Amino acid sequence: MPPLPLLFQVGPAGSQFGLLACLFVELFQGWQMLEKPWKAFLKLLCIVLFLFLCGLLPWIDNIAHIFGFISGLLLAFAFLPYVTFGTFDKYRKRIVIALSLLVYLGLFASLIVWFYIHPINWHWLEHLTCLPFTNKFCEKYDIDHDIEHVVT
């Protein structure tokens, strides 16, 4: 049984987080060229953390956010153009491209298995989509509303 059975959600949230991950990759690849890379990194990190926290509200799918971000990060390392600073850096980036493609293919295959072939039923996974702050906060999701069980 999927984490939230018979509850289908569609929207661009996963792809938008994939684009945010592309910004992180652009930042990492241009780190040596930026004057204050930590400032840009902290700004992006604050945006992503805020959006992930918003995903704990009802009707926002944090699972799509998380896997969209991871997929965007891996595919951005593989497909975005990059600048090299020497022969060692060129080979290192080619290895990163190959590894990121392999990890993405493994992630994609595992998601197919987890959601369609042998569905997972981890109790904590449903709380990524809606965290029950009160007893009636996530009642549309049919989530276990025992707040003490969630917090402990």
Side-chain angles (χ1 to χ4, degrees), residues 83-99:
V83 177
T84 57
F85 299 100
T87 307
F88 174 75
D89 193 39
K90 179 172 70 172
Y91 290 119
R92 182 183 60 86
K93 289 186 178 178
R94 287 184 182 172
I95 290 171
V96 167
I97 289 171
L99 285 176

mmCIF file with all atom_site columns, all heavy atoms in Angstrom, residues 83-99:
data_model
loop_
_atom_site.group_PDB
_atom_site.id
_atom_site.type_symbol
_atom_site.label_atom_id
_atom_site.label_alt_id
_atom_site.label_comp_id
_atom_site.label_asym_id
_atom_site.label_entity_id
_atom_site.label_seq_id
_atom_site.pdbx_PDB_ins_code
_atom_site.Cartn_x
_atom_site.Cartn_y
_atom_site.Cartn_z
_atom_site.occupancy
_atom_site.B_iso_or_equiv
_atom_site.pdbx_formal_charge
_atom_site.auth_seq_id
_atom_site.auth_comp_id
_atom_site.auth_asym_id
_atom_site.auth_atom_id
_atom_site.pdbx_PDB_model_num
ATOM 1   N N   . VAL A 1 83 ? 32.689 24.363 -16.006 1.00 0.00 ? 83 VAL A N   1
ATOM 2   C CA  . VAL A 1 83 ? 33.994 24.950 -16.297 1.00 0.00 ? 83 VAL A CA  1
ATOM 3   C C   . VAL A 1 83 ? 35.039 24.114 -15.571 1.00 0.00 ? 83 VAL A C   1
ATOM 4   O O   . VAL A 1 83 ? 34.865 23.773 -14.402 1.00 0.00 ? 83 VAL A O   1
ATOM 5   C CB  . VAL A 1 83 ? 34.057 26.414 -15.808 1.00 0.00 ? 83 VAL A CB  1
ATOM 6   C CG1 . VAL A 1 83 ? 35.428 27.001 -16.038 1.00 0.00 ? 83 VAL A CG1 1
ATOM 7   C CG2 . VAL A 1 83 ? 32.992 27.248 -16.480 1.00 0.00 ? 83 VAL A CG2 1
ATOM 8   N N   . THR A 1 84 ? 36.115 23.772 -16.256 1.00 0.00 ? 84 THR A N   1
ATOM 9   C CA  . THR A 1 84 ? 37.173 22.994 -15.613 1.00 0.00 ? 84 THR A CA  1
ATOM 10  C C   . THR A 1 84 ? 38.377 23.879 -15.350 1.00 0.00 ? 84 THR A C   1
ATOM 11  O O   . THR A 1 84 ? 38.640 24.838 -16.076 1.00 0.00 ? 84 THR A O   1
ATOM 12  C CB  . THR A 1 84 ? 37.603 21.802 -16.484 1.00 0.00 ? 84 THR A CB  1
ATOM 13  O OG1 . THR A 1 84 ? 38.025 22.282 -17.749 1.00 0.00 ? 84 THR A OG1 1
ATOM 14  C CG2 . THR A 1 84 ? 36.467 20.823 -16.650 1.00 0.00 ? 84 THR A CG2 1
ATOM 15  N N   . PHE A 1 85 ? 39.097 23.535 -14.308 1.00 0.00 ? 85 PHE A N   1
ATOM 16  C CA  . PHE A 1 85 ? 40.308 24.255 -13.922 1.00 0.00 ? 85 PHE A CA  1
ATOM 17  C C   . PHE A 1 85 ? 41.478 23.276 -13.926 1.00 0.00 ? 85 PHE A C   1
ATOM 18  O O   . PHE A 1 85 ? 42.038 22.960 -12.899 1.00 0.00 ? 85 PHE A O   1
ATOM 19  C CB  . PHE A 1 85 ? 40.141 24.876 -12.531 1.00 0.00 ? 85 PHE A CB  1
ATOM 20  C CG  . PHE A 1 85 ? 39.020 25.874 -12.460 1.00 0.00 ? 85 PHE A CG  1
ATOM 21  C CD1 . PHE A 1 85 ? 37.786 25.518 -11.922 1.00 0.00 ? 85 PHE A CD1 1
ATOM 22  C CD2 . PHE A 1 85 ? 39.191 27.152 -12.939 1.00 0.00 ? 85 PHE A CD2 1
ATOM 23  C CE1 . PHE A 1 85 ? 36.759 26.424 -11.853 1.00 0.00 ? 85 PHE A CE1 1
ATOM 24  C CE2 . PHE A 1 85 ? 38.158 28.072 -12.872 1.00 0.00 ? 85 PHE A CE2 1
ATOM 25  C CZ  . PHE A 1 85 ? 36.941 27.706 -12.332 1.00 0.00 ? 85 PHE A CZ  1
ATOM 26  N N   . GLY A 1 86 ? 41.805 22.756 -15.071 1.00 0.00 ? 86 GLY A N   1
ATOM 27  C CA  . GLY A 1 86 ? 42.925 21.830 -15.180 1.00 0.00 ? 86 GLY A CA  1
ATOM 28  C C   . GLY A 1 86 ? 42.485 20.424 -15.532 1.00 0.00 ? 86 GLY A C   1
ATOM 29  O O   . GLY A 1 86 ? 41.301 20.091 -15.564 1.00 0.00 ? 86 GLY A O   1
ATOM 30  N N   . THR A 1 87 ? 43.463 19.574 -15.786 1.00 0.00 ? 87 THR A N   1
ATOM 31  C CA  . THR A 1 87 ? 43.201 18.199 -16.219 1.00 0.00 ? 87 THR A CA  1
ATOM 32  C C   . THR A 1 87 ? 42.561 17.372 -15.105 1.00 0.00 ? 87 THR A C   1
ATOM 33  O O   . THR A 1 87 ? 41.612 16.628 -15.353 1.00 0.00 ? 87 THR A O   1
ATOM 34  C CB  . THR A 1 87 ? 44.513 17.532 -16.672 1.00 0.00 ? 87 THR A CB  1
ATOM 35  O OG1 . THR A 1 87 ? 45.142 18.359 -17.641 1.00 0.00 ? 87 THR A OG1 1
ATOM 36  C CG2 . THR A 1 87 ? 44.253 16.178 -17.270 1.00 0.00 ? 87 THR A CG2 1
ATOM 37  N N   . PHE A 1 88 ? 43.068 17.499 -13.889 1.00 0.00 ? 88 PHE A N   1
ATOM 38  C CA  . PHE A 1 88 ? 42.508 16.740 -12.771 1.00 0.00 ? 88 PHE A CA  1
ATOM 39  C C   . PHE A 1 88 ? 41.041 17.088 -12.558 1.00 0.00 ? 88 PHE A C   1
ATOM 40  O O   . PHE A 1 88 ? 40.203 16.208 -12.345 1.00 0.00 ? 88 PHE A O   1
ATOM 41  C CB  . PHE A 1 88 ? 43.313 17.008 -11.493 1.00 0.00 ? 88 PHE A CB  1
ATOM 42  C CG  . PHE A 1 88 ? 42.708 16.383 -10.274 1.00 0.00 ? 88 PHE A CG  1
ATOM 43  C CD1 . PHE A 1 88 ? 42.812 15.014 -10.060 1.00 0.00 ? 88 PHE A CD1 1
ATOM 44  C CD2 . PHE A 1 88 ? 42.014 17.147 -9.355  1.00 0.00 ? 88 PHE A CD2 1
ATOM 45  C CE1 . PHE A 1 88 ? 42.243 14.419 -8.949  1.00 0.00 ? 88 PHE A CE1 1
ATOM 46  C CE2 . PHE A 1 88 ? 41.443 16.572 -8.237  1.00 0.00 ? 88 PHE A CE2 1
ATOM 47  C CZ  . PHE A 1 88 ? 41.559 15.201 -8.034  1.00 0.00 ? 88 PHE A CZ  1
ATOM 48  N N   . ASP A 1 89 ? 40.711 18.362 -12.626 1.00 0.00 ? 89 ASP A N   1
ATOM 49  C CA  . ASP A 1 89 ? 39.338 18.816 -12.430 1.00 0.00 ? 89 ASP A CA  1
ATOM 50  C C   . ASP A 1 89 ? 38.423 18.282 -13.534 1.00 0.00 ? 89 ASP A C   1
ATOM 51  O O   . ASP A 1 89 ? 37.277 17.920 -13.282 1.00 0.00 ? 89 ASP A O   1
ATOM 52  C CB  . ASP A 1 89 ? 39.297 20.339 -12.374 1.00 0.00 ? 89 ASP A CB  1
ATOM 53  C CG  . ASP A 1 89 ? 37.974 20.866 -11.854 1.00 0.00 ? 89 ASP A CG  1
ATOM 54  O OD1 . ASP A 1 89 ? 37.423 20.261 -10.925 1.00 0.00 ? 89 ASP A OD1 1
ATOM 55  O OD2 . ASP A 1 89 ? 37.503 21.892 -12.391 1.00 0.00 ? 89 ASP A OD2 1
ATOM 56  N N   . LYS A 1 90 ? 38.932 18.216 -14.755 1.00 0.00 ? 90 LYS A N   1
ATOM 57  C CA  . LYS A 1 90 ? 38.140 17.703 -15.876 1.00 0.00 ? 90 LYS A CA  1
ATOM 58  C C   . LYS A 1 90 ? 37.782 16.237 -15.655 1.00 0.00 ? 90 LYS A C   1
ATOM 59  O O   . LYS A 1 90 ? 36.622 15.837 -15.809 1.00 0.00 ? 90 LYS A O   1
ATOM 60  C CB  . LYS A 1 90 ? 38.913 17.873 -17.189 1.00 0.00 ? 90 LYS A CB  1
ATOM 61  C CG  . LYS A 1 90 ? 38.167 17.343 -18.400 1.00 0.00 ? 90 LYS A CG  1
ATOM 62  C CD  . LYS A 1 90 ? 38.850 17.683 -19.698 1.00 0.00 ? 90 LYS A CD  1
ATOM 63  C CE  . LYS A 1 90 ? 40.122 16.891 -19.835 1.00 0.00 ? 90 LYS A CE  1
ATOM 64  N NZ  . LYS A 1 90 ? 40.748 17.034 -21.165 1.00 0.00 ? 90 LYS A NZ  1
ATOM 65  N N   . TYR A 1 91 ? 38.759 15.421 -15.235 1.00 0.00 ? 91 TYR A N   1
ATOM 66  C CA  . TYR A 1 91 ? 38.493 14.002 -14.989 1.00 0.00 ? 91 TYR A CA  1
ATOM 67  C C   . TYR A 1 91 ? 37.609 13.797 -13.766 1.00 0.00 ? 91 TYR A C   1
ATOM 68  O O   . TYR A 1 91 ? 36.760 12.904 -13.741 1.00 0.00 ? 91 TYR A O   1
ATOM 69  C CB  . TYR A 1 91 ? 39.803 13.222 -14.870 1.00 0.00 ? 91 TYR A CB  1
ATOM 70  C CG  . TYR A 1 91 ? 40.524 13.107 -16.182 1.00 0.00 ? 91 TYR A CG  1
ATOM 71  C CD1 . TYR A 1 91 ? 41.790 13.634 -16.342 1.00 0.00 ? 91 TYR A CD1 1
ATOM 72  C CD2 . TYR A 1 91 ? 39.922 12.490 -17.277 1.00 0.00 ? 91 TYR A CD2 1
ATOM 73  C CE1 . TYR A 1 91 ? 42.455 13.551 -17.552 1.00 0.00 ? 91 TYR A CE1 1
ATOM 74  C CE2 . TYR A 1 91 ? 40.570 12.401 -18.488 1.00 0.00 ? 91 TYR A CE2 1
ATOM 75  C CZ  . TYR A 1 91 ? 41.842 12.928 -18.620 1.00 0.00 ? 91 TYR A CZ  1
ATOM 76  O OH  . TYR A 1 91 ? 42.479 12.837 -19.831 1.00 0.00 ? 91 TYR A OH  1
ATOM 77  N N   . ARG A 1 92 ? 37.802 14.626 -12.757 1.00 0.00 ? 92 ARG A N   1
ATOM 78  C CA  . ARG A 1 92 ? 36.971 14.531 -11.554 1.00 0.00 ? 92 ARG A CA  1
ATOM 79  C C   . ARG A 1 92 ? 35.509 14.824 -11.899 1.00 0.00 ? 92 ARG A C   1
ATOM 80  O O   . ARG A 1 92 ? 34.603 14.113 -11.455 1.00 0.00 ? 92 ARG A O   1
ATOM 81  C CB  . ARG A 1 92 ? 37.458 15.514 -10.493 1.00 0.00 ? 92 ARG A CB  1
ATOM 82  C CG  . ARG A 1 92 ? 36.681 15.451 -9.186  1.00 0.00 ? 92 ARG A CG  1
ATOM 83  C CD  . ARG A 1 92 ? 37.153 16.498 -8.203  1.00 0.00 ? 92 ARG A CD  1
ATOM 84  N NE  . ARG A 1 92 ? 37.011 17.845 -8.692  1.00 0.00 ? 92 ARG A NE  1
ATOM 85  C CZ  . ARG A 1 92 ? 35.885 18.571 -8.588  1.00 0.00 ? 92 ARG A CZ  1
ATOM 86  N NH1 . ARG A 1 92 ? 34.825 18.051 -8.030  1.00 0.00 ? 92 ARG A NH1 1
ATOM 87  N NH2 . ARG A 1 92 ? 35.834 19.799 -9.050  1.00 0.00 ? 92 ARG A NH2 1
ATOM 88  N N   . LYS A 1 93 ? 35.276 15.822 -12.727 1.00 0.00 ? 93 LYS A N   1
ATOM 89  C CA  . LYS A 1 93 ? 33.898 16.156 -13.091 1.00 0.00 ? 93 LYS A CA  1
ATOM 90  C C   . LYS A 1 93 ? 33.278 15.096 -13.988 1.00 0.00 ? 93 LYS A C   1
ATOM 91  O O   . LYS A 1 93 ? 32.082 14.836 -13.914 1.00 0.00 ? 93 LYS A O   1
ATOM 92  C CB  . LYS A 1 93 ? 33.846 17.531 -13.733 1.00 0.00 ? 93 LYS A CB  1
ATOM 93  C CG  . LYS A 1 93 ? 34.095 18.613 -12.689 1.00 0.00 ? 93 LYS A CG  1
ATOM 94  C CD  . LYS A 1 93 ? 33.919 19.996 -13.190 1.00 0.00 ? 93 LYS A CD  1
ATOM 95  C CE  . LYS A 1 93 ? 34.157 20.974 -12.043 1.00 0.00 ? 93 LYS A CE  1
ATOM 96  N NZ  . LYS A 1 93 ? 34.055 22.348 -12.431 1.00 0.00 ? 93 LYS A NZ  1
ATOM 97  N N   . ARG A 1 94 ? 34.081 14.447 -14.809 1.00 0.00 ? 94 ARG A N   1
ATOM 98  C CA  . ARG A 1 94 ? 33.546 13.353 -15.630 1.00 0.00 ? 94 ARG A CA  1
ATOM 99  C C   . ARG A 1 94 ? 33.156 12.165 -14.763 1.00 0.00 ? 94 ARG A C   1
ATOM 100 O O   . ARG A 1 94 ? 32.159 11.486 -15.025 1.00 0.00 ? 94 ARG A O   1
ATOM 101 C CB  . ARG A 1 94 ? 34.567 12.942 -16.687 1.00 0.00 ? 94 ARG A CB  1
ATOM 102 C CG  . ARG A 1 94 ? 34.687 13.961 -17.789 1.00 0.00 ? 94 ARG A CG  1
ATOM 103 C CD  . ARG A 1 94 ? 35.620 13.517 -18.864 1.00 0.00 ? 94 ARG A CD  1
ATOM 104 N NE  . ARG A 1 94 ? 35.732 14.550 -19.881 1.00 0.00 ? 94 ARG A NE  1
ATOM 105 C CZ  . ARG A 1 94 ? 36.599 14.509 -20.867 1.00 0.00 ? 94 ARG A CZ  1
ATOM 106 N NH1 . ARG A 1 94 ? 37.450 13.504 -20.971 1.00 0.00 ? 94 ARG A NH1 1
ATOM 107 N NH2 . ARG A 1 94 ? 36.630 15.481 -21.750 1.00 0.00 ? 94 ARG A NH2 1
ATOM 108 N N   . ILE A 1 95 ? 33.921 11.911 -13.722 1.00 0.00 ? 95 ILE A N   1
ATOM 109 C CA  . ILE A 1 95 ? 33.564 10.839 -12.786 1.00 0.00 ? 95 ILE A CA  1
ATOM 110 C C   . ILE A 1 95 ? 32.286 11.193 -12.038 1.00 0.00 ? 95 ILE A C   1
ATOM 111 O O   . ILE A 1 95 ? 31.415 10.340 -11.831 1.00 0.00 ? 95 ILE A O   1
ATOM 112 C CB  . ILE A 1 95 ? 34.737 10.556 -11.819 1.00 0.00 ? 95 ILE A CB  1
ATOM 113 C CG1 . ILE A 1 95 ? 35.888 9.902  -12.583 1.00 0.00 ? 95 ILE A CG1 1
ATOM 114 C CG2 . ILE A 1 95 ? 34.297 9.687  -10.651 1.00 0.00 ? 95 ILE A CG2 1
ATOM 115 C CD1 . ILE A 1 95 ? 37.163 9.778  -11.795 1.00 0.00 ? 95 ILE A CD1 1
ATOM 116 N N   . VAL A 1 96 ? 32.137 12.451 -11.649 1.00 0.00 ? 96 VAL A N   1
ATOM 117 C CA  . VAL A 1 96 ? 30.918 12.896 -10.967 1.00 0.00 ? 96 VAL A CA  1
ATOM 118 C C   . VAL A 1 96 ? 29.710 12.730 -11.889 1.00 0.00 ? 96 VAL A C   1
ATOM 119 O O   . VAL A 1 96 ? 28.627 12.321 -11.444 1.00 0.00 ? 96 VAL A O   1
ATOM 120 C CB  . VAL A 1 96 ? 31.072 14.356 -10.481 1.00 0.00 ? 96 VAL A CB  1
ATOM 121 C CG1 . VAL A 1 96 ? 29.734 14.943 -10.068 1.00 0.00 ? 96 VAL A CG1 1
ATOM 122 C CG2 . VAL A 1 96 ? 32.053 14.434 -9.341  1.00 0.00 ? 96 VAL A CG2 1
ATOM 123 N N   . ILE A 1 97 ? 29.877 13.020 -13.179 1.00 0.00 ? 97 ILE A N   1
ATOM 124 C CA  . ILE A 1 97 ? 28.779 12.850 -14.135 1.00 0.00 ? 97 ILE A CA  1
ATOM 125 C C   . ILE A 1 97 ? 28.357 11.388 -14.199 1.00 0.00 ? 97 ILE A C   1
ATOM 126 O O   . ILE A 1 97 ? 27.162 11.066 -14.116 1.00 0.00 ? 97 ILE A O   1
ATOM 127 C CB  . ILE A 1 97 ? 29.198 13.368 -15.527 1.00 0.00 ? 97 ILE A CB  1
ATOM 128 C CG1 . ILE A 1 97 ? 29.287 14.879 -15.525 1.00 0.00 ? 97 ILE A CG1 1
ATOM 129 C CG2 . ILE A 1 97 ? 28.226 12.889 -16.603 1.00 0.00 ? 97 ILE A CG2 1
ATOM 130 C CD1 . ILE A 1 97 ? 29.901 15.464 -16.782 1.00 0.00 ? 97 ILE A CD1 1
ATOM 131 N N   . ALA A 1 98 ? 29.317 10.494 -14.331 1.00 0.00 ? 98 ALA A N   1
ATOM 132 C CA  . ALA A 1 98 ? 29.000 9.062  -14.423 1.00 0.00 ? 98 ALA A CA  1
ATOM 133 C C   . ALA A 1 98 ? 28.344 8.563  -13.134 1.00 0.00 ? 98 ALA A C   1
ATOM 134 O O   . ALA A 1 98 ? 27.333 7.835  -13.182 1.00 0.00 ? 98 ALA A O   1
ATOM 135 C CB  . ALA A 1 98 ? 30.263 8.267  -14.722 1.00 0.00 ? 98 ALA A CB  1
ATOM 136 N N   . LEU A 1 99 ? 28.884 8.954  -11.989 1.00 0.00 ? 99 LEU A N   1
ATOM 137 C CA  . LEU A 1 99 ? 28.310 8.513  -10.710 1.00 0.00 ? 99 LEU A CA  1
ATOM 138 C C   . LEU A 1 99 ? 26.905 9.065  -10.496 1.00 0.00 ? 99 LEU A C   1
ATOM 139 O O   . LEU A 1 99 ? 26.025 8.357  -10.011 1.00 0.00 ? 99 LEU A O   1
ATOM 140 C CB  . LEU A 1 99 ? 29.221 8.925  -9.559  1.00 0.00 ? 99 LEU A CB  1
ATOM 141 C CG  . LEU A 1 99 ? 30.493 8.112  -9.391  1.00 0.00 ? 99 LEU A CG  1
ATOM 142 C CD1 . LEU A 1 99 ? 31.357 8.689  -8.271  1.00 0.00 ? 99 LEU A CD1 1
ATOM 143 C CD2 . LEU A 1 99 ? 30.168 6.665  -9.108  1.00 0.00 ? 99 LEU A CD2 1
#
